[in-house]
Amino acid sequence: MFQNITSLFDFEGSVEYLPELLRGALVSVELTFCVMLISLVFGLIIALMRLSRPRVTRTVSTIYVEVVRGTPCLLQLFYIYFVLPAFGIRFDPFMAGVIGLSVNYSAYLSEVYRAGIIAVPRGQLEAAHALGMSRAKMMRLIILPQAIRVVVPPLGNYFISLFKDTSLVSIVTVKELMFTGQIIAATNFQYFTIFTIIGIIYLSLSYPGSLFVSYLERRMKVGYRRKPSRLIAKAG
Amino acid sequence: MIRLEKICKSFGHLVVLRDVTLEVDKGEVVCVIGPSGAGKSTMLRCINHLETLNSGTIYIEGQPVYRYMKDGKLVIDREKRVDEIRAQVGMVFQSFNLFPHFTALENVMVSPLHVLREPMAELRPRAMALMAKVGLSDKIDAYPHELSGGQQQRVAIARALAMRPKAMLFDEVTSALDPKLVGDVLRVMRQLAFEGMTMIVVTHEMGFAREVADRVIFMADGAIVEEGPPAEIFSNPKNERTIQFLRSVLQRRQDLGEETAPS
């Protein structure tokens, strides 16, 4: 059995295509960072829209979140890459991948933000109001700084799951890790070797990530740090 | 200074305030007592627009505020004006509600800094002086979770005073405190009263009301049942409900083995 496995694994060949796979992994990492950055910003905007008072912004953002969450990410990618060109909107594969994933993750992250904002006790809002703060100031000075603490660990988890989800964009021919592997495997049929290596690469990148997230979780549990708040230092 | 005119408030079918009319003059200290559910806290919260009235009008310094009728039309103040009015009326809560991500001093400074745009050079010494006034000079760098309830509440008072309010509202500020810590908070409030601050104090501290109030209001079932100078209310209450209430408070204190209200 063990004999079998070692003979199945193409050690010599793997040296040859490992650089190719690592290049693919780099694209996956790039995708992850691009999408996360965009989604962190848009997710917050959507969350604030959902919690805003005007009916229009509330409705639009709610519809957005429900539509995105209610349809498969794969379908959305297909839509962006194959359907939109019919309307004259064209993206290269990488762009299509970034947009598709960002659309998705913005929706998911907005829900994380929203949960964090709602978790801030009502008394905090009342105290801020009673001190004459406007809604915007209250959000910036009082609510968001407290919400962030609640929100950082789940955001970290989404970050890791995003890294794995970048494999979805192989469907729109982005040469990230998964698609690179598929291309190589299609020519030399070393499925076992290639997909094992891919698995190891994904794991070796995401595991340190989860360690970092649990570190953050522990840190957020301790009290507030002794360090003058920037919200106080920079204003005036 | 503050005038409530026939204000009504209900939550769904539950009527909390019925036609409450009250006028508080500048520099006056009014203590509001009464059984729980009488609408005392709700009345205070209406003054700061933390609750919206169903009907009636609130006047602050002679001006109608929040929502009122003008020339037969309903006027709803813009958010900006509501914020401006709130900035002039300080409020202290039963549950302190200090901002946990700021130190004590930062809690005091945050609002003057961002709302009044007071320069740091003036604000910082003023905030330090306020912390000294509430007896917490040594705690300026402490975070709320490092302070006792009584200390937190005193920071909350300093925070409200930092906005230079024209009046202060106290909503059962000692109810959540360890009995041993109540005294420190009351001392600060007494000091404020002597300095001429306009105060509306919802409280269960009969001793404080008797000693400090210019006028005591007894509320029950969403209405003002009786009001008058403390000596009269406490020594010679006229209304049957006031008599009952005071008797039960006194009784409870004796049951607990505490001293009765110092006079």
Side-chain angles (χ1 to χ4, degrees):
Chain A
M1 179 64 189
F2 189 70
Q3 190 66 39
N4 247 345
I5 289 177
T6 48
S7 66
L8 263 175
F9 198 91
D10 178 14
F11 285 104
E12 284 143 44
S14 63
V15 179
E16 198 179 304
Y17 40 73
L18 191 61
E20 187 81 18
L21 288 175
L22 289 177
R23 262 196 296 282
L26 188 65
V27 175
S28 296
V29 170
E30 279 170 14
L31 271 169
T32 309
F33 278 96
C34 285
V35 172
M36 196 64 189
L37 220 68
I38 296 171
S39 307
L40 281 174
V41 174
F42 278 92
L44 180 59
I45 294 173
I46 295 161
L48 292 177
M49 280 171 72
R50 283 199 82 175
L51 295 166
S52 67
R53 266 210 288 203
R55 187 179 296 246
V56 204
T57 51
R58 239 170 34 206
T59 315
V60 168
S61 52
T62 306
I63 291 173
Y64 171 81
V65 171
E66 293 307 332
V67 168
V68 170
R69 286 202 305 179
T71 54
C73 183
L74 211 50
L75 177 71
Q76 295 158 13
L77 283 165
F78 275 139
Y79 217 85
I80 290 164
Y81 193 62
F82 297 114
V83 178
L84 288 188
F87 299 96
I89 305 169
R90 253 166 253 281
F91 300 108
D92 65 50
F94 187 84
M95 265 309 266
V98 168
I99 294 171
L101 287 173
S102 299
V103 163
N104 244 271
Y105 272 81
S106 299
Y108 283 109
L109 296 193
S110 79
E111 287 295 280
V112 175
Y113 280 122
R114 198 166 70 101
I117 290 170
I118 292 173
V120 175
R122 215 187 135 66
Q124 293 287 310
L125 321 196
E126 291 183 349
H129 275 319
L131 287 165
M133 288 188 201
S134 64
R135 284 168 66 86
K137 284 192 182 111
M138 172 179 83
M139 201 38 102
R140 182 165 67 87
L141 300 168
I142 308 303
I143 298 183
L144 288 181
Q146 293 185 57
I148 290 292
R149 298 174 62 79
V150 184
V151 149
V152 164
L155 286 184
N157 284 325
Y158 270 102
F159 188 59
I160 292 162
S161 97
L162 167 62
F163 174 59
K164 293 175 294 168
D165 279 355
T166 55
S167 60
L168 283 172
V169 305
S170 61
I171 215 74
V172 294
T173 71
V174 179
K175 277 197 77 182
E176 43 66 76
L177 182 53
M178 199 68 202
F179 192 53
T180 309
Q182 283 174 320
I183 293 170
I184 299 169
T187 58
N188 67 6
F189 307 110
Q190 293 290 348
Y191 292 109
F192 176 67
T193 313
I194 290 165
F195 290 135
T196 306
I197 295 176
I198 290 179
I200 292 168
I201 296 178
Y202 272 119
L203 187 63
S204 61
L205 286 171
S206 58
Y207 184 61
S210 9
L211 287 182
F212 184 65
V213 171
S214 38
Y215 162 77
L216 281 180
E217 259 167 9
R218 279 197 308 274
R219 257 194 75 147
M220 291 297 158
K221 282 207 187 100
V222 255
Y224 288 94
R225 271 176 305 162
R226 325 201 125 266
K227 162 184 130 192
S229 174
R230 282 202 331 268
L231 293 174
I232 296 294
K234 76 177 176 200
Chain B
M1 173 74 220
I2 296 175
R3 185 153 63 93
L4 311 180
E5 201 174 87
K6 290 194 168 177
I7 64 168
C8 294
K9 172 71 190 172
S10 44
F11 297 106
H13 291 297
L14 182 71
V15 182
V16 185
L17 293 175
R18 331 168 182 258
D19 283 331
V20 173
T21 298
L22 172 68
E23 183 154 9
V24 179
D25 292 331
K26 193 166 163 48
E28 193 181 16
V29 177
V30 172
C31 282
V32 184
I33 60 171
S36 37
K40 314 182 292 290
S41 289
T42 307
M43 182 177 78
L44 274 200
R45 294 166 58 81
C46 285
I47 297 174
N48 228 335
H49 202 46
L50 294 174
E51 308 288 353
T52 311
L53 295 184
N54 294 106
S55 66
T57 313
I58 295 171
Y59 297 83
I60 290 177
E61 298 206 299
Q63 298 294 316
V65 293
Y66 310 135
R67 336 162 48 107
Y68 45 91
M69 302 302 281
K70 193 176 176 185
D71 305 329
K73 271 187 292 188
L74 178 69
V75 181
I76 297 176
D77 271 343
R78 301 222 322 272
E79 248 180 68
K80 197 165 180 310
R81 177 151 193 256
V82 172
D83 293 335
E84 283 165 9
I85 297 160
R86 278 168 163 166
Q88 298 171 23
V89 181
M91 180 146 186
V92 186
F93 301 86
Q94 181 177 353
S95 50
F96 329 136
N97 299 340
L98 289 184
F99 306 130
H101 55 303
F102 289 141
T103 63
L105 190 68
E106 287 169 348
N107 263 282
V108 177
M109 294 194 299
V110 63
S111 209
L113 192 63
H114 288 275
V115 177
L116 304 179
R117 305 229 164 264
E118 187 171 335
M120 198 55 156
E122 291 169 28
L123 174 58
R124 210 185 145 79
R126 197 165 69 83
M128 304 271 260
L130 283 170
M131 286 295 284
K133 185 187 176 103
V134 299
L136 291 172
S137 289
D138 53 335
K139 298 288 183 190
I140 55 172
D141 289 326
Y143 281 88
H145 68 90
E146 298 166 324
L147 299 172
S148 73
Q151 292 169 334
Q152 287 190 49
Q153 195 59 292
R154 283 183 281 155
V155 174
I157 293 173
R159 178 177 71 174
L161 290 174
M163 291 298 285
R164 305 184 205 270
K166 292 175 177 158
M168 290 279 282
L169 312 175
F170 293 87
D171 187 5
E172 298 193 18
V173 296
T174 55
S175 301
L177 296 180
D178 194 313
K180 276 183 294 193
L181 306 173
V182 169
D184 293 331
V185 174
L186 292 183
R187 198 168 307 128
V188 171
M189 291 166 68
R190 199 173 290 132
Q191 175 67 24
L192 267 183
F194 287 139
E195 287 169 12
M197 175 62 79
T198 309
M199 294 163 66
I200 304 182
V201 185
V202 170
T203 188
H204 294 297
E205 298 293 329
M206 299 305 150
F208 177 82
R210 182 191 286 249
E211 178 197 353
V212 179
D214 297 310
R215 185 151 51 110
V216 173
I217 308 277
F218 174 72
M219 278 180 84
D221 293 330
I224 294 176
V225 173
E226 191 169 353
E227 64 175 291
E232 196 176 307
I233 295 279
F234 287 111
S235 317
N236 191 17
K238 306 233 167 21
N239 188 289
E240 187 53 39
R241 298 214 50 176
T242 319
I243 296 168
Q244 262 176 27
F245 172 76
L246 290 174
R247 191 178 293 150
S248 74
V249 171
L250 227 64
Q251 186 61 49
R252 196 171 53 208
R253 287 192 160 217
Q254 279 164 352
D255 288 347
L256 288 170
E258 290 172 26
E259 286 175 35
T260 45
S263 45

